Amino acid sequence: KPDVVIASSHYLWDTLPGLVFSQRLRSKLVIYMHGLLETSPSYTRSEGIWDKIALLNDRIGLVLCRKADLIFAINNDIKDALIAKGFKAEKIFVTTNAVDHELINSVKNEMKTFDGCFCGSLIRRKGVYDLIDLWEKVLKRLPDSKLIIIGYGEEYHNLLEEVKNKALDKNIIITGYVSARDKILSIKSSKIFISPSHEESWGIAVSEATACGLPVVCYDIPFIRNSGSNLTKVKLGDTDEMATVILNILEGGQTVDHLSGRPTSEATNIPTWDDISKEELKEIKKVL
């Protein structure tokens, strides 16, 4: 008999079995909440059938979350939104994400094979098509520069087709899914990390790149959890400005030590998963 049942998200496919098992086994129910569709900037509220299904899934999941003994919210906005919906504040704990410093430090690489790097789900809200646009701008001044795109998602095949149709396949490499070690190796093999994401609840990939010692260029959006000398934010959707910042770094226009591959002091302060697990375990023990 388990003491606790954990649902890894608030979506119906996680919360429903979580609730059934917790009630049958008389266990405590803990739910992780990474985002709410209604508060998501990317949610268009269109009349399409899939949008309606997604919203229904979100709302039913929220109803089931009211039965939870503890909710781990990934940021304060989610906690505030839940409280506004009538959830009890004492049942919500704002947690965070982390990086695997041990893995990152174990991967050694001195070669900078790629000029730019992106890592994340290949979905529209991650700005994956902005990547193609801004890299075309970079290529006008640096025609031999290379961008590696690490990840997989619903736009994977469309991105491959667009890169091929624009004859950019020598300059833009899309890897698909890779192992955690190969991901870190590819990031460390790059000069700059690019995050054109339109929406984040925390920004793990940005933190991993920071811990790898890369300069990061991203849009100015909430919940990118890094700040400091290694990170440059530009206006959301402004691929011209982002391309300019990238070119300035690649051409040495910025007086920084970014290309050394040494993590900044901000990077070393990013928590580990072990740190986060200990904090979450304390909260779980409180409800047992």
Side-chain angles (χ1 to χ4, degrees):
K1 178 183 177 301
D3 296 297
V4 61
V5 174
I6 294 180
S8 60
S9 81
H10 77 284
Y11 297 118
L12 186 58
W13 50 77
D14 287 328
T15 53
L16 182 57
L19 180 60
V20 169
F21 278 117
S22 65
Q23 290 189 341
R24 280 185 179 178
L25 301 170
R26 296 182 181 179
S27 305
K28 299 295 184 181
L29 176 61
V30 176
I31 297 174
Y32 282 83
M33 192 165 293
H34 307 280
L36 290 173
L37 188 59
E38 290 184 38
T39 61
S40 166
S42 65
Y43 178 59
T44 60
R45 289 174 174 77
S46 68
E47 296 301 316
I49 183 64
W50 293 114
D51 290 310
K52 290 180 178 179
I53 291 173
L55 184 58
L56 182 62
N57 176 18
D58 200 65
R59 287 176 174 171
I60 295 175
L62 276 175
V63 171
L64 299 183
C65 283
R66 295 183 183 277
K67 301 290 186 179
D69 298 283
L70 174 64
I71 295 174
F72 285 123
I74 199 62
N75 58 52
N76 282 302
D77 273 12
I78 293 174
K79 179 178 181 178
D80 293 342
L82 291 175
I83 292 172
K85 291 178 178 293
F87 283 76
K88 295 180 179 179
E90 58 269 23
K91 286 190 174 185
I92 306 168
F93 179 80
V94 178
T95 186
T96 185
N97 281 320
V99 299
D100 189 343
H101 288 284
E102 185 176 350
L103 172 62
I104 289 170
N105 294 334
S106 72
V107 177
K108 307 298 181 184
N109 182 63
E110 301 296 332
M111 295 288 292
K112 293 294 184 182
T113 309
F114 307 104
D115 298 280
C117 174
F118 166 87
C119 180
S121 299
L122 302 188
I123 53 180
R124 285 189 176 272
R125 67 172 179 270
K126 293 288 186 180
V128 291
Y129 290 102
D130 292 19
L131 275 173
I132 309 297
D133 182 34
L134 70 87
W135 205 253
E136 284 185 295
K137 301 177 193 297
V138 170
L139 289 170
K140 289 179 181 178
R141 270 170 50 185
L142 298 175
D144 295 325
S145 58
K146 290 186 178 181
L147 169 69
I148 183 169
I149 299 175
I150 307 164
Y152 189 80
E154 60 192 37
E155 300 299 329
Y156 174 76
H157 295 289
N158 291 335
L159 280 172
L160 282 177
E161 191 68 22
E162 181 160 340
V163 167
K164 182 179 178 181
N165 290 340
K166 292 188 173 185
L168 296 172
D169 38 323
K170 289 184 178 180
N171 299 96
I172 299 178
I173 295 90
I174 305 176
T175 67
Y177 174 80
V178 299
S179 68
R181 177 168 288 276
D182 285 343
K183 174 187 69 174
I184 297 301
L185 180 60
S186 295
I187 293 174
K188 285 194 170 187
S189 299
S190 305
K191 297 177 182 178
I192 304 171
F193 189 85
I194 305 163
S195 177
S197 183
H198 291 222
E199 178 186 342
E200 291 286 352
S201 59
W202 200 83
I204 294 177
V206 169
S207 297
E208 289 176 332
T210 302
C212 287
L214 267 66
V216 175
V217 183
C218 66
Y219 287 141
D220 190 2
I221 58 173
F223 304 118
I224 292 293
R225 293 304 191 198
N226 298 62
S227 61
S229 60
N230 75 314
L231 187 132
T232 304
K233 294 182 178 182
V234 304
K235 182 181 177 182
L236 178 61
D238 194 338
T239 56
D240 287 328
E241 185 183 358
M242 185 170 279
T244 299
V245 171
I246 292 168
L247 285 164
N248 284 343
I249 296 173
L250 292 176
E251 295 177 330
Q254 292 186 357
T255 56
V256 292
D257 293 328
H258 288 148
L259 301 184
S260 67
R262 293 188 298 270
T264 63
S265 59
E266 295 92 358
T268 57
N269 290 329
I270 300 170
T272 68
W273 291 109
D274 192 48
D275 297 331
I276 303 309
S277 298
K278 288 175 181 176
E279 292 301 314
E280 291 178 356
L281 184 57
K282 288 180 185 177
E283 297 305 313
I284 290 173
K285 285 181 175 179
K286 289 178 184 178
V287 302
L288 292 179

